[in-house]
Amino acid sequence: MEDLIRRSGIALSKGFYTEEQAAAVTRYVFGVDTQLVEDGTYFVLEREGLLLACGGWSKRAALFGGDRHKSGPDPLLDPATQPARIRAFFVDPAVPRQGLGRRLMEHCEQEAAQAGFTTLELAATLPGVPLYRACGFELVEDFALDLPGPVSIPLSRMRKHLA
């Protein structure tokens, strides 16, 4: 998964971020969040044994970032009052725009709803915004994440209410 995430983060950021921004966000933020794997809320799509996409949802407070971006415990959210998180969606740059992200999103929405959540929230990188809008997410706010370098990455907090 780490290789897919790295390749996706660099290649699919072209036209959205500078090469420096894509390299920094891939190095310092992107990556597998093993808590999602342990919680059973991170999924992969494969074809003939090849990993094509990965992504998940979380019942925990962290809005984004892999293991190396974390700085402490990640407490559980209250489904009655807090939105579940959509986390770490990456598609192999050899197979973009084939509905893989949407398939993962539909699965995550169903799983989060079954867990009692009525709202989803995420932090979208600019390459992800079109997918999330197409899936019914609305912009809450734009913000920037400052990374070493110094590099600043524009992100969008987005939200969706589940039916």
Side-chain angles (χ1 to χ4, degrees):
M1 285 189 292
E2 289 288 353
D3 179 60
L4 169 66
I5 291 169
R6 182 189 54 74
R7 289 184 295 109
S8 178
I10 297 296
L12 298 181
S13 290
K14 285 182 173 46
F16 294 94
Y17 293 133
T18 67
E19 287 182 23
E20 183 182 36
Q21 287 173 314
V25 73
T26 300
R27 178 177 182 189
Y28 296 111
V29 180
F30 293 166
V32 174
D33 182 340
T34 54
Q35 184 67 63
L36 299 181
V37 175
E38 290 170 12
D39 287 346
T41 60
Y42 201 64
F43 311 101
V44 299
L45 293 175
E46 297 177 321
R47 184 181 302 141
E48 298 176 13
L50 296 174
L51 180 61
L52 299 180
C54 56
W57 72 277
S58 180
K59 54 188 171 185
R60 298 187 180 271
L63 188 58
F64 62 89
D67 287 345
R68 65 181 161 260
H69 185 71
K70 287 186 169 184
S71 61
D74 197 359
L76 290 169
L77 297 166
D78 177 2
T81 61
Q82 297 173 298
R85 311 299 195 212
I86 294 298
R87 301 278 311 279
F89 271 51
F90 297 96
V91 174
D92 187 313
V95 292
R97 291 171 285 289
Q98 294 184 17
L100 300 172
R102 186 179 293 271
R103 281 182 50 203
L104 281 170
M105 181 62 70
E106 289 169 356
H107 183 71
C108 289
E109 287 179 10
Q110 291 170 1
E111 294 266 324
Q114 288 175 357
F117 288 92
T118 59
T119 306
L120 302 173
E121 191 170 82
L122 58 85
T125 58
L126 297 184
V129 168
L131 167 67
Y132 300 129
R133 278 200 175 127
C135 290
F137 283 80
E138 296 179 353
L139 177 67
V140 173
E141 68 176 334
D142 290 322
F143 66 100
L145 176 64
D146 293 328
L147 298 173
V151 176
S152 182
I153 306 296
L155 300 171
S156 295
R157 181 183 295 261
M158 301 181 82
R159 187 173 293 144
K160 178 179 182 175
H161 298 283
L162 299 174

